[in-house]
């Protein structure tokens, strides 16, 4: 039996940097197994909120829980093995092969088994032949797949994606997004995707949270957003892909 997908909760989470309130009293629950997109303009607090989950950022007030347990209890490395984290700049170790990169968290945890490398490459749909390559011999999309394999290697059930597809070309980005969604279903993950791209959020997520000035100003399903609900801030973001689709349709001969 696979473990149940973890439920996350932010309870009055605030994070200040001097006079800047990056995250402002956010309370929201993310039900286990859901795929949530966190959308908003640059500087709205998305990354800061995401990083309070794996303690890369400590809240100034409030707390984050996973299945009811405060993430601040216990050692951070153990917490981070349960939480896959992938960000735009990838962060593969350039002097290590793909196989070595993927197994870093397993080796740190003393749980490395060589056969896991092949399984993890299969998981992210990479050929097993890339195991011995160095990261600079891979395309951007392949590198990001390696980063995802590494993030999930210790059996993480929570996946945090912080603009993880941001540096990729649109075709690779679209394909990888679809695959992540499949991976989410297959492994029973709880996934949070930070993106400034509302179209990506609508296409991939079950639920879209819109952030503005550190607060969540909309919380709706893609269906609700497409039906014009969710409020003015959310609708302003939905309007962008809507207008693009309309302009493309108008180009039809
Ligand atoms: P987003 O991910 O939506 O682009 P961030 O969470 O990165 O937004 O940033 C929210 C706000 O907090 C911004 O005003 C940003 O400048 C500020 N901020 C984020 N991290 C730091 C930091 N380490 N030091 C000072 N200010 C920060």
């Amino acid at each position: 039996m696979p473990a149940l997908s973890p439920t996350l909760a932010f309870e009055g989470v605030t994070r200040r940097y001097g006079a800047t309130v990056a995250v402002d009293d956010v309370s929201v629950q993310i039900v286990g197994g859901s795929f949530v997109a966190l959308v908003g303009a640059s500087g709205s607090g998305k990354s800061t909120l995401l990083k309070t989950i794996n303690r890369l950022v400590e809240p100034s007030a409030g707390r984050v829980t996973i299945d009811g347990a405060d993430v601040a209890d216990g050692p951070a490395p153990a917490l981070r093995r349960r939480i896959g984290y992938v960000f735009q700049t990838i962060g593969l170790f350039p002097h290590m092969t793909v196989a070595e990169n993927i197994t870093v968290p397993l080796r740190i945890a003393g749980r490395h088994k060589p056969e896991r490398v092949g399984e993890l490459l299969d998981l992210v749909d990479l050929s097993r032949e890339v195991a011995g390559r160095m990261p600079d011999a891979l395309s951007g999309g392949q590198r990001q797949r390696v980063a995802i394999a590494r993030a999930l290697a210790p059996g993480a059930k929570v996946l945090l994606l912080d603009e993880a597809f941001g540096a990729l070309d649109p075709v690779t980005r679209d394909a990888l997004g679809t695959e992540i969604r499949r991976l989410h279903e297959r492994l029973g993950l709880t996934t949070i995707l930070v993106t400034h791209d509302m179209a990506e959020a609508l296409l991939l997520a079950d639920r879209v949270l819109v952030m503005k000035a550190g607060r969540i100003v909309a919380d709706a399903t893609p269906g609700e957003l497409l039906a014009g609900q969710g409020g003015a801030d959310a609708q302003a973001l939905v309007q962008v892909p809507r207008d693009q689709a309309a302009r493309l349709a108008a180009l039809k001969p």
Side-chain angles (χ1 to χ4, degrees):
M1 271 282 283
L4 285 177
S5 320
T7 289
L8 273 57
F10 299 95
E11 299 175 7
V13 173
T14 294
R15 172 67 204 206
R16 293 185 203 89
Y17 293 103
T20 305
V21 187
V23 173
D24 188 3
D25 195 20
V26 167
S27 294
V28 68
Q29 194 190 56
I30 298 190
V31 174
S34 54
F35 193 123
V36 171
L38 207 50
V39 189
S42 187
S44 56
K46 307 182 296 295
S47 284
T48 305
L49 184 66
L50 193 76
K51 288 178 191 162
T52 61
I53 301 169
N54 61 2
R55 287 173 57 186
L56 290 176
V57 166
E58 299 284 343
S60 313
R63 64 175 201 150
V64 181
T65 64
I66 299 182
D67 289 334
D70 193 328
V71 296
D73 293 343
L79 174 77
R80 292 186 189 135
R81 280 196 290 276
R82 296 165 53 208
I83 303 174
Y85 176 59
V86 183
F87 44 99
Q88 180 172 345
T89 44
I90 297 172
L92 296 181
F93 299 108
H95 56 286
M96 290 185 190
T97 65
V98 166
E100 286 164 347
N101 262 286
I102 291 180
T103 53
V104 165
L106 295 174
R107 280 182 275 144
I108 291 172
R111 291 200 276 128
H112 177 45
K113 295 195 194 83
E115 65 272 19
R116 279 291 280 154
V117 173
E119 292 167 13
L120 286 159
L121 289 172
D122 293 346
L123 191 69
V124 294
D125 213 14
L126 276 174
S127 156
R128 293 190 176 205
E129 286 160 21
V130 305
R133 285 204 211 154
M134 303 306 278
D136 67 4
L138 302 178
S139 70
Q142 288 175 321
R143 279 203 289 271
Q144 208 54 309
R145 286 169 198 267
V146 174
I148 293 161
R150 183 176 64 182
L152 296 174
K157 283 283 181 184
V158 176
L159 180 59
L160 309 180
L161 301 163
D162 193 349
E163 294 285 3
F165 317 132
L168 303 176
D169 68 84
V171 174
T172 307
R173 180 177 180 136
D174 195 48
L176 202 53
T178 308
E179 279 180 42
I180 289 276
R181 176 74 220 203
R182 260 192 240 127
L183 211 53
H184 164 88
E185 306 293 343
R186 183 137 63 97
L187 300 180
L189 305 176
T190 303
T191 303
I192 306 184
L193 168 78
V194 164
T195 178
H196 55 253
D197 184 343
M198 181 54 101
E200 186 170 83
L202 291 170
L203 288 168
L204 294 179
D206 306 315
R207 178 180 175 198
V208 179
L209 303 176
V210 177
M211 283 193 81
K212 185 180 178 185
R215 291 182 162 261
I216 291 177
V217 294
D219 178 352
T221 65
E224 288 164 348
L225 290 173
L226 290 169
Q229 297 161 18
D233 291 311
Q235 285 304 315
L237 296 175
V238 174
Q239 202 54 39
V240 178
R242 213 193 274 287
D243 285 348
Q244 283 178 333
R247 287 191 341 248
L248 286 172
L251 288 179
K252 272 194 195 140

